[in-house]
Amino acid sequence: MQPNYSSNYTPNSAPVPEGTIIVERGVSAQEFGPKLNRTAADVIRFLMQNGEMVTATMTLSDEQMELFALEVGADLLLVEPGQQEEMELQALFDDSDDDDETLQESRPPVITVMGHVDHGKTTLLDRIRNANVVAGEAGGITQHIGAYQVDVRGRKITFLDTPGHAAFTKMRARGAQVTDIVILMVAADDGVMPQTIEAINHAKAAEVPIVVALNKVDKENADPQRVLSQLAEHELVPESWGGDTIVVEMAAQQGLGIDEILDQLLLVAELEELTANPTGRAKGVVLEANLDVGRGPVATVLVDKGELNVGDPIVAGAAWGRVRAMINDKGEQVKTAGPSTPVQVLGLQSVPNAGDEFRSAADEKTARTVGEAREQRQRLKAQRGDARVQKGVKLEDIFSQIQAGEVATLNLVLKADVQGSLEAVTEALRRLERDEVKLAFVHRGVGGITENDISLAATTNATLIGFNVRPDRKARDMADAEGVEIRTYEIIYKLLEDIERAMVGMLAPEFEEVVTGEAEVREIFRVPRIGAIAGCYVRSGTITRGSKVRFLRDGAIIWKGAIQSLKRFKEDAREVREGFECGIGLTDFQDLRQGDLIETFEEREIARV
Ligand code: GDP
């Protein structure tokens, strides 16, 4: 469609540069004009004639830049700040073979095992690996490098051997997707548990196919049918029920069902048509990296495509170097590694981050240039203090999105104290949905807010909502570091009110609750006429008499009130600091248990700017 704007302005007639002009968002007319061989005045005059008042130093909007580019006949590509530099760096690598169909060959699938704790993930990974060592070279010594590859009748499968969600989300948080298929481990006696649901949601968010390993069928109290119906509730309908989820019954400990699950993985891999060009320069992902006293920086990498060779100059994130040696999962030195192969690489000048992309470069100079440029950028960023990228979609931003005429999708991770309140809150939130505001529950679960929730929220730009539950300290720290917004509520209507207000751009001044101290209940004393006194250890901060407290059991809030008495030994104390023991008496609350947590907090109003 031809935009409707006035074009009586005649810009100077110098030719615009040929080809696509890349411009980073956030520039002013002063910076933008010259890129198109025009002056700032050209840009300002043209925009003014079209009713847009801008000055030379004001940031231009996408539309303003696109309008002007159209006017002068320039081919414009707008990118995010920092992206242009990265594109220029990437251009130093030759990717021309990437799309060449004739060079694509099938590659081994890369598998991650996920599931609830104790459902048998480690047992399965060990079984598969050991079976293969015996079948393979006799006496082969396995080496834990973070991943391993097995041979199934001439076809290979790669397993990431750090089970669990943390590894998976850590990769995704950095934009790397290494897993092709997820094995979801569910113990037949225990059934679908909170971490099972988390795993399902992680895999769904990443759009990775799931193969269910229904483990421990040997156990007396195993109830596979019950588990199947639980899975169906989470949209994993087993094939035997007419769905398309592959379920393999197994007993990992006894080695039952191992062959079958390997076969199923190969089948899914075939359907997924996993291919890569095995020739040319290598590209892949860093799985783990550390500084080894004797060997210097050591990185385990997984090759995506191409061929990594000893002697290749490489860049991994901001680290660069030349591959001095490579060691495979059997502890053997190898000279070359192809697609889906994990190897330890020696020879980098510094330690890259897990999740960083690596590439082999044409020559060492290129590797060095790119590595050093990235390193410098990281340093500058850190100095400017914006190293912490704000990723969580702020509730406050909904309104501006709606105003911009876009459909605002609010991603949510919701945690609640019990199933009943989880359902109630979900339903209430659903009723707030309208055409212009969609809610997407990335994850819903019962229990305290953990690091897992934070990492899921970080990777999906979600706001984390806790209902009658609190984050533990690790989760709080991680949320700060990842820029994830946690909002906790104890009353449904307050939560709904906040979301509704956000939708109309009137999010009330927020009272931020600052946790001032944390004490763990270690002993309980019953004092006649006074009641229960909690013998506590102050884990962090300061506990002050009279301050407001929340009483937490397994992350859920079970009582709220104030500290009535505070004693150090027999003496009354006004405050007790971290690392000390104390006795805490609470008004009206007697149901103390060992291991409970007492959290003191203050409310401070956050000034909005
Ligand atoms: P993870 O936490 O998921 O890695 O679970 P583990 O692999 O550590 O297994 C937890 C426990 O379950 C261990 O004591 C295993 O020996 C046991 N286990 C694993 N698989 C089976 C199985 O198929 N049958 C039975 N009966 N026990 C199993």
Side-chain angles (χ1 to χ4, degrees):
M1 200 178 65
Q2 191 64 26
N4 180 19
Y5 63 88
S6 129
S7 184
N8 50 14
Y9 154 74
T10 336
N12 77 47
S13 54
V16 297
E18 270 185 40
T20 304
I21 302 161
I22 300 170
V23 174
E24 290 184 358
R25 295 195 165 88
V27 296
S28 62
Q30 222 167 26
E31 297 154 308
F32 179 63
K35 294 211 178 255
L36 275 58
N37 240 347
R38 296 291 182 277
T39 63
D42 287 335
V43 179
I44 294 168
R45 241 178 294 135
F46 168 76
L47 289 173
M48 266 169 65
Q49 282 169 8
N50 287 285
E52 307 259 340
M53 295 299 166
V54 296
T55 66
T57 53
M58 257 166 71
T59 302
L60 298 174
S61 71
D62 288 7
E63 292 72 30
Q64 289 168 337
M65 288 191 274
E66 277 157 7
L67 211 57
F68 188 75
L70 202 64
E71 172 68 18
V72 299
D75 184 6
L76 185 68
L77 177 66
L78 295 175
V79 298
E80 293 308 311
Q83 207 183 340
Q84 183 183 6
E85 200 181 336
E86 190 52 35
M87 283 164 78
E88 281 164 9
L89 294 177
Q90 293 279 358
L92 293 171
F93 302 102
D94 178 17
D95 263 337
S96 52
D97 287 345
D98 263 13
D99 303 325
D100 192 334
E101 292 273 330
T102 61
L103 295 172
Q104 302 291 317
E105 284 179 27
S106 76
R107 62 169 177 85
V110 180
I111 316 293
T112 300
V113 182
M114 300 213 272
H116 199 73
V117 63
D118 276 349
H119 281 197
K121 300 180 291 291
T122 314
T123 309
L124 176 67
L125 281 163
D126 286 351
R127 271 277 166 184
I128 292 174
R129 147 180 252 156
N130 295 339
N132 200 251
V133 170
V134 178
E137 35 295 69
I141 310 158
T142 61
Q143 176 139 347
H144 283 269
I145 64 169
Y148 65 83
Q149 216 171 39
V150 297
D151 207 289
V152 185
R153 293 183 300 282
R155 291 169 66 191
K156 290 193 161 69
I157 305 180
T158 304
F159 286 89
L160 300 189
D161 75 0
T162 25
H165 319 160
F168 187 81
T169 37
K170 194 160 140 201
M171 289 285 143
R172 286 199 71 222
R174 307 187 61 89
Q177 170 115 341
V178 289
T179 304
D180 298 310
I181 306 168
V182 162
I183 294 183
L184 180 72
M185 219 59 216
V186 194
D189 55 338
D190 212 15
V192 169
M193 299 293 282
Q195 283 171 280
T196 318
I197 300 170
E198 256 174 38
I200 293 172
N201 291 329
H202 279 304
K204 276 188 188 161
E207 295 179 2
V208 174
I210 296 173
V211 169
V212 175
L214 187 44
N215 195 31
K216 305 197 188 184
V217 291
D218 60 298
K219 290 188 86 166
E220 228 168 76
N221 52 347
D223 188 352
Q225 287 304 313
R226 183 179 74 107
V227 182
L228 294 186
S229 69
Q230 289 176 331
L231 286 169
E233 280 169 29
H234 293 277
E235 294 164 44
L236 295 177
V237 184
E239 283 180 320
S240 58
W241 290 18
D244 55 9
T245 301
I246 297 172
V247 179
V248 178
E249 295 199 5
M250 65 187 319
Q253 200 183 34
Q254 283 74 13
L256 284 174
I258 306 277
D259 287 341
E260 196 192 338
I261 200 151
L262 293 176
D263 282 342
Q264 295 293 352
L265 291 173
L266 287 173
L267 195 73
V268 176
E270 211 161 289
L271 292 173
E272 295 284 310
E273 295 182 356
L274 307 169
T275 60
N277 175 2
T279 61
R281 284 211 286 273
K283 175 174 166 291
V285 177
V286 176
L287 295 177
E288 297 180 358
N290 65 294
L291 190 63
D292 186 291
V293 180
R295 301 184 295 171
V298 179
T300 298
V301 303
L302 183 68
V303 179
D304 285 348
K305 63 167 221 115
E307 190 184 66
L308 185 63
N309 298 297
V310 170
D312 282 352
I314 63 167
V315 192
W320 62 276
R322 191 180 275 280
V323 180
R324 192 169 74 230
M326 291 198 290
I327 298 147
N328 71 8
D329 53 339
K330 300 183 181 65
E332 302 156 343
Q333 294 243 3
V334 290
K335 289 257 172 293
T336 163
S340 302
T341 310
V343 278
Q344 270 193 337
V345 170
L346 274 54
L348 287 166
Q349 303 287 328
S350 57
V351 182
N353 290 315
D356 276 346
E357 180 191 85
F358 86 86
R359 281 166 177 267
S360 52
D363 47 54
E364 200 167 316
K365 185 164 161 278
T366 308
R368 185 183 189 138
T369 309
V370 174
E372 287 181 349
R374 284 181 182 159
E375 209 232 296
Q376 193 186 12
R377 199 164 66 212
Q378 282 178 4
R379 220 176 21 228
L380 280 176
K381 243 183 164 177
Q383 277 169 6
R384 265 190 264 128
D386 59 358
R388 278 208 223 154
V389 186
Q390 288 286 321
K391 276 189 284 187
V393 169
K394 293 270 175 281
L395 216 46
E396 313 153 23
D397 293 339
I398 300 182
F399 181 62
S400 52
Q401 266 213 41
I402 299 171
Q403 281 224 308
E406 287 168 46
V407 174
T409 301
L410 183 63
N411 280 347
L412 295 173
V413 171
L414 176 63
K415 296 295 294 270
D417 53 342
V418 290
Q419 192 67 32
S421 58
L422 186 70
E423 297 306 335
V425 173
T426 308
E427 234 172 79
L429 282 170
R430 281 257 172 259
R431 282 199 289 272
L432 292 181
E433 264 190 318
R434 327 180 186 155
D435 286 346
E436 67 277 17
V437 188
K438 298 281 170 233
L439 298 182
F441 290 95
V442 178
H443 175 60
R444 300 185 312 132
V446 171
I449 298 166
T450 64
E451 284 172 292
N452 252 323
D453 299 318
I454 307 291
S455 84
L456 191 53
T459 44
T460 55
N461 283 347
T463 299
L464 216 153
I465 292 179
F467 188 75
N468 272 333
V469 290
R470 300 282 306 164
D472 57 24
R473 185 146 40 121
K474 279 196 203 147
R476 220 160 43 218
D477 291 346
M478 187 173 171
D480 280 346
E482 299 278 334
V484 169
E485 185 182 13
I486 304 180
R487 289 179 163 260
T488 54
Y489 298 88
E490 283 139 58
I491 304 170
I492 289 194
Y493 90 79
K494 284 259 183 222
L495 159 64
L496 299 181
E497 195 177 73
D498 268 8
I499 307 252
E500 276 187 319
R501 279 171 179 274
M503 287 176 176
V504 293
M506 285 174 40
L507 199 59
E510 196 180 327
F511 287 95
E512 183 187 44
E513 279 188 359
V514 184
V515 175
T516 50
E518 227 179 12
E520 185 188 316
V521 179
R522 296 207 161 156
E523 255 179 295
I524 293 125
F525 307 99
R526 306 270 163 202
V527 184
R529 280 191 308 276
I530 292 179
I533 298 287
C536 295
Y537 172 78
V538 182
R539 291 218 306 217
S540 66
T542 307
I543 302 290
T544 314
R545 187 151 37 121
S547 64
K548 291 185 183 171
V549 294
R550 259 187 299 261
F551 210 85
L552 307 179
R553 189 167 295 159
D554 297 328
I557 302 170
I558 53 173
W559 185 77
K560 259 179 97 164
I563 292 188
Q564 191 180 32
S565 69
L566 183 65
K567 281 189 196 290
R568 205 108 169 89
F569 301 109
K570 295 247 148 39
E571 301 296 311
D572 276 334
R574 230 161 50 87
E575 56 171 50
V576 179
R577 260 177 282 157
E578 176 174 336
F580 291 96
E581 289 177 338
C582 60
I584 296 178
L586 303 164
T587 34
D588 316 324
F589 188 69
Q590 302 290 312
D591 173 30
L592 305 170
R593 282 193 214 160
Q594 225 176 347
D596 286 346
L597 212 60
I598 296 176
E599 201 179 72
T600 60
F601 62 94
E602 267 171 25
E603 280 183 344
R604 293 178 200 155
E605 189 172 345
I606 302 179
R608 294 212 180 273
V609 275

PDB file of all heavy atoms in Angstrom, residues 116-123 215-216 218-219 250-254, ligand 1:
ATOM      1  N   HIS A 116      11.100 -35.032  36.983  1.00  0.00           N
ATOM      2  CA  HIS A 116      11.134 -34.752  38.413  1.00  0.00           C
ATOM      3  C   HIS A 116      12.332 -35.443  39.070  1.00  0.00           C
ATOM      4  O   HIS A 116      12.795 -36.467  38.587  1.00  0.00           O
ATOM      5  CB  HIS A 116       9.838 -35.226  39.059  1.00  0.00           C
ATOM      6  CG  HIS A 116       9.581 -34.599  40.395  1.00  0.00           C
ATOM      7  ND1 HIS A 116       9.198 -33.292  40.527  1.00  0.00           N
ATOM      8  CD2 HIS A 116       9.664 -35.096  41.646  1.00  0.00           C
ATOM      9  CE1 HIS A 116       9.046 -33.008  41.801  1.00  0.00           C
ATOM     10  NE2 HIS A 116       9.325 -34.085  42.510  1.00  0.00           N
ATOM     11  N   VAL A 117      12.786 -34.878  40.168  1.00  0.00           N
ATOM     12  CA  VAL A 117      13.921 -35.449  40.882  1.00  0.00           C
ATOM     13  C   VAL A 117      13.594 -36.883  41.312  1.00  0.00           C
ATOM     14  O   VAL A 117      12.445 -37.200  41.647  1.00  0.00           O
ATOM     15  CB  VAL A 117      14.290 -34.561  42.100  1.00  0.00           C
ATOM     16  CG1 VAL A 117      13.157 -34.505  43.110  1.00  0.00           C
ATOM     17  CG2 VAL A 117      15.578 -35.017  42.753  1.00  0.00           C
ATOM     18  N   ASP A 118      14.588 -37.741  41.210  1.00  0.00           N
ATOM     19  CA  ASP A 118      14.465 -39.153  41.615  1.00  0.00           C
ATOM     20  C   ASP A 118      13.615 -40.013  40.684  1.00  0.00           C
ATOM     21  O   ASP A 118      13.314 -41.155  41.014  1.00  0.00           O
ATOM     22  CB  ASP A 118      13.880 -39.296  43.042  1.00  0.00           C
ATOM     23  CG  ASP A 118      14.970 -39.170  44.086  1.00  0.00           C
ATOM     24  OD1 ASP A 118      16.154 -39.194  43.691  1.00  0.00           O
ATOM     25  OD2 ASP A 118      14.640 -39.042  45.270  1.00  0.00           O
ATOM     26  N   HIS A 119      13.238 -39.499  39.556  1.00  0.00           N
ATOM     27  CA  HIS A 119      12.452 -40.320  38.641  1.00  0.00           C
ATOM     28  C   HIS A 119      13.330 -41.201  37.741  1.00  0.00           C
ATOM     29  O   HIS A 119      12.817 -41.994  36.971  1.00  0.00           O
ATOM     30  CB  HIS A 119      11.479 -39.462  37.830  1.00  0.00           C
ATOM     31  CG  HIS A 119      10.249 -39.083  38.608  1.00  0.00           C
ATOM     32  ND1 HIS A 119       9.097 -38.616  38.050  1.00  0.00           N
ATOM     33  CD2 HIS A 119      10.016 -39.151  39.951  1.00  0.00           C
ATOM     34  CE1 HIS A 119       8.189 -38.384  38.992  1.00  0.00           C
ATOM     35  NE2 HIS A 119       8.737 -38.698  40.158  1.00  0.00           N
ATOM     36  N   GLY A 120      14.660 -41.013  37.849  1.00  0.00           N
ATOM     37  CA  GLY A 120      15.558 -41.954  37.167  1.00  0.00           C
ATOM     38  C   GLY A 120      16.385 -41.399  36.021  1.00  0.00           C
ATOM     39  O   GLY A 120      16.932 -42.154  35.225  1.00  0.00           O
ATOM     40  N   LYS A 121      16.513 -40.055  35.939  1.00  0.00           N
ATOM     41  CA  LYS A 121      17.241 -39.443  34.828  1.00  0.00           C
ATOM     42  C   LYS A 121      18.696 -39.897  34.782  1.00  0.00           C
ATOM     43  O   LYS A 121      19.198 -40.322  33.747  1.00  0.00           O
ATOM     44  CB  LYS A 121      17.184 -37.911  34.942  1.00  0.00           C
ATOM     45  CG  LYS A 121      15.785 -37.342  34.919  1.00  0.00           C
ATOM     46  CD  LYS A 121      15.779 -35.828  35.033  1.00  0.00           C
ATOM     47  CE  LYS A 121      16.211 -35.324  36.406  1.00  0.00           C
ATOM     48  NZ  LYS A 121      15.263 -35.614  37.479  1.00  0.00           N
ATOM     49  N   THR A 122      19.365 -39.800  35.933  1.00  0.00           N
ATOM     50  CA  THR A 122      20.783 -40.153  35.982  1.00  0.00           C
ATOM     51  C   THR A 122      20.976 -41.637  35.692  1.00  0.00           C
ATOM     52  O   THR A 122      21.893 -42.021  34.965  1.00  0.00           O
ATOM     53  CB  THR A 122      21.359 -39.811  37.375  1.00  0.00           C
ATOM     54  OG1 THR A 122      20.908 -38.502  37.715  1.00  0.00           O
ATOM     55  CG2 THR A 122      22.864 -39.838  37.372  1.00  0.00           C
ATOM     56  N   THR A 123      20.082 -42.449  36.244  1.00  0.00           N
ATOM     57  CA  THR A 123      20.173 -43.891  36.022  1.00  0.00           C
ATOM     58  C   THR A 123      20.094 -44.196  34.528  1.00  0.00           C
ATOM     59  O   THR A 123      20.891 -44.970  33.995  1.00  0.00           O
ATOM     60  CB  THR A 123      19.022 -44.621  36.766  1.00  0.00           C
ATOM     61  OG1 THR A 123      19.010 -44.178  38.120  1.00  0.00           O
ATOM     62  CG2 THR A 123      19.188 -46.115  36.709  1.00  0.00           C
ATOM     63  N   ASN A 215       9.115 -44.658  33.613  1.00  0.00           N
ATOM     64  CA  ASN A 215      10.144 -45.449  34.306  1.00  0.00           C
ATOM     65  C   ASN A 215       9.610 -46.155  35.559  1.00  0.00           C
ATOM     66  O   ASN A 215       8.511 -45.851  36.027  1.00  0.00           O
ATOM     67  CB  ASN A 215      11.297 -44.506  34.681  1.00  0.00           C
ATOM     68  CG  ASN A 215      12.539 -45.258  35.074  1.00  0.00           C
ATOM     69  OD1 ASN A 215      12.801 -46.358  34.591  1.00  0.00           O
ATOM     70  ND2 ASN A 215      13.321 -44.674  35.976  1.00  0.00           N
ATOM     71  N   LYS A 216      10.415 -47.056  36.056  1.00  0.00           N
ATOM     72  CA  LYS A 216      10.142 -47.785  37.307  1.00  0.00           C
ATOM     73  C   LYS A 216       8.871 -48.637  37.226  1.00  0.00           C
ATOM     74  O   LYS A 216       8.140 -48.746  38.218  1.00  0.00           O
ATOM     75  CB  LYS A 216      10.050 -46.820  38.498  1.00  0.00           C
ATOM     76  CG  LYS A 216      11.281 -45.929  38.679  1.00  0.00           C
ATOM     77  CD  LYS A 216      11.342 -45.318  40.048  1.00  0.00           C
ATOM     78  CE  LYS A 216      12.452 -44.283  40.160  1.00  0.00           C
ATOM     79  NZ  LYS A 216      12.613 -43.738  41.500  1.00  0.00           N
ATOM     80  N   ASP A 218       8.806 -51.611  37.142  1.00  0.00           N
ATOM     81  CA  ASP A 218       9.050 -52.817  37.938  1.00  0.00           C
ATOM     82  C   ASP A 218       8.508 -52.678  39.352  1.00  0.00           C
ATOM     83  O   ASP A 218       8.311 -53.675  40.050  1.00  0.00           O
ATOM     84  CB  ASP A 218      10.557 -53.080  38.008  1.00  0.00           C
ATOM     85  CG  ASP A 218      11.294 -51.902  38.647  1.00  0.00           C
ATOM     86  OD1 ASP A 218      11.235 -50.786  38.070  1.00  0.00           O
ATOM     87  OD2 ASP A 218      11.897 -52.075  39.724  1.00  0.00           O
ATOM     88  N   LYS A 219       8.265 -51.465  39.785  1.00  0.00           N
ATOM     89  CA  LYS A 219       7.866 -51.281  41.186  1.00  0.00           C
ATOM     90  C   LYS A 219       6.439 -51.757  41.437  1.00  0.00           C
ATOM     91  O   LYS A 219       5.575 -51.626  40.566  1.00  0.00           O
ATOM     92  CB  LYS A 219       8.031 -49.814  41.601  1.00  0.00           C
ATOM     93  CG  LYS A 219       9.499 -49.429  41.698  1.00  0.00           C
ATOM     94  CD  LYS A 219       9.690 -48.063  42.286  1.00  0.00           C
ATOM     95  CE  LYS A 219       9.735 -48.098  43.793  1.00  0.00           C
ATOM     96  NZ  LYS A 219      10.243 -46.829  44.347  1.00  0.00           N
ATOM     97  N   MET A 250       9.529 -48.463  30.892  1.00  0.00           N
ATOM     98  CA  MET A 250      10.875 -48.955  31.138  1.00  0.00           C
ATOM     99  C   MET A 250      11.192 -49.108  32.621  1.00  0.00           C
ATOM    100  O   MET A 250      10.449 -48.642  33.485  1.00  0.00           O
ATOM    101  CB  MET A 250      11.904 -48.050  30.475  1.00  0.00           C
ATOM    102  CG  MET A 250      11.964 -46.649  31.056  1.00  0.00           C
ATOM    103  SD  MET A 250      13.044 -45.579  30.097  1.00  0.00           S
ATOM    104  CE  MET A 250      14.364 -46.672  29.749  1.00  0.00           C
ATOM    105  N   ALA A 251      12.291 -49.809  32.874  1.00  0.00           N
ATOM    106  CA  ALA A 251      12.853 -49.880  34.209  1.00  0.00           C
ATOM    107  C   ALA A 251      14.342 -49.649  34.013  1.00  0.00           C
ATOM    108  O   ALA A 251      15.097 -50.564  33.702  1.00  0.00           O
ATOM    109  CB  ALA A 251      12.573 -51.230  34.851  1.00  0.00           C
ATOM    110  N   ALA A 252      14.723 -48.375  34.131  1.00  0.00           N
ATOM    111  CA  ALA A 252      16.091 -47.985  33.795  1.00  0.00           C
ATOM    112  C   ALA A 252      17.101 -48.740  34.642  1.00  0.00           C
ATOM    113  O   ALA A 252      18.156 -49.173  34.159  1.00  0.00           O
ATOM    114  CB  ALA A 252      16.256 -46.484  33.982  1.00  0.00           C
ATOM    115  N   GLN A 253      16.767 -48.916  35.901  1.00  0.00           N
ATOM    116  CA  GLN A 253      17.706 -49.564  36.807  1.00  0.00           C
ATOM    117  C   GLN A 253      17.998 -51.005  36.376  1.00  0.00           C
ATOM    118  O   GLN A 253      19.121 -51.466  36.473  1.00  0.00           O
ATOM    119  CB  GLN A 253      17.101 -49.564  38.210  1.00  0.00           C
ATOM    120  CG  GLN A 253      18.120 -49.753  39.297  1.00  0.00           C
ATOM    121  CD  GLN A 253      17.416 -49.812  40.642  1.00  0.00           C
ATOM    122  OE1 GLN A 253      16.293 -50.328  40.743  1.00  0.00           O
ATOM    123  NE2 GLN A 253      18.058 -49.295  41.662  1.00  0.00           N
ATOM    124  N   GLN A 254      16.968 -51.677  35.871  1.00  0.00           N
ATOM    125  CA  GLN A 254      17.136 -53.065  35.433  1.00  0.00           C
ATOM    126  C   GLN A 254      17.566 -53.143  33.967  1.00  0.00           C
ATOM    127  O   GLN A 254      17.772 -54.230  33.442  1.00  0.00           O
ATOM    128  CB  GLN A 254      15.820 -53.838  35.611  1.00  0.00           C
ATOM    129  CG  GLN A 254      15.498 -54.252  37.029  1.00  0.00           C
ATOM    130  CD  GLN A 254      15.042 -53.070  37.901  1.00  0.00           C
ATOM    131  OE1 GLN A 254      14.748 -51.999  37.390  1.00  0.00           O
ATOM    132  NE2 GLN A 254      15.013 -53.261  39.199  1.00  0.00           N
TER     133      GLN A 254
HETATM  134  P1  GDP B   1      17.219 -38.559  39.039  1.00  0.00           P
HETATM  135  O1  GDP B   1      17.134 -37.704  40.252  1.00  0.00           O
HETATM  136  O2  GDP B   1      16.045 -38.357  38.140  1.00  0.00           O
HETATM  137  O3  GDP B   1      18.508 -38.469  38.301  1.00  0.00           O
HETATM  138  O4  GDP B   1      17.016 -40.072  39.555  1.00  0.00           O
HETATM  139  P2  GDP B   1      18.107 -41.215  39.763  1.00  0.00           P
HETATM  140  O5  GDP B   1      18.557 -41.741  38.467  1.00  0.00           O
HETATM  141  O6  GDP B   1      19.138 -40.728  40.706  1.00  0.00           O
HETATM  142  O7  GDP B   1      17.198 -42.322  40.427  1.00  0.00           O
HETATM  143  C1  GDP B   1      16.588 -42.171  41.687  1.00  0.00           C
HETATM  144  C2  GDP B   1      16.432 -43.489  42.379  1.00  0.00           C
HETATM  145  O8  GDP B   1      15.528 -44.319  41.658  1.00  0.00           O
HETATM  146  C3  GDP B   1      17.740 -44.276  42.475  1.00  0.00           C
HETATM  147  O9  GDP B   1      17.810 -44.870  43.744  1.00  0.00           O
HETATM  148  C4  GDP B   1      17.614 -45.303  41.365  1.00  0.00           C
HETATM  149  O10 GDP B   1      18.338 -46.457  41.669  1.00  0.00           O
HETATM  150  C5  GDP B   1      16.117 -45.570  41.359  1.00  0.00           C
HETATM  151  N1  GDP B   1      15.651 -46.038  40.058  1.00  0.00           N
HETATM  152  C6  GDP B   1      15.942 -45.517  38.838  1.00  0.00           C
HETATM  153  N2  GDP B   1      15.334 -46.218  37.876  1.00  0.00           N
HETATM  154  C7  GDP B   1      14.634 -47.198  38.474  1.00  0.00           C
HETATM  155  C8  GDP B   1      13.781 -48.246  37.989  1.00  0.00           C
HETATM  156  O11 GDP B   1      13.574 -48.429  36.798  1.00  0.00           O
HETATM  157  N3  GDP B   1      13.213 -49.042  38.912  1.00  0.00           N
HETATM  158  C9  GDP B   1      13.426 -48.876  40.254  1.00  0.00           C
HETATM  159  N4  GDP B   1      12.816 -49.714  41.085  1.00  0.00           N
HETATM  160  N5  GDP B   1      14.217 -47.920  40.736  1.00  0.00           N
HETATM  161  C10 GDP B   1      14.816 -47.075  39.861  1.00  0.00           C
END
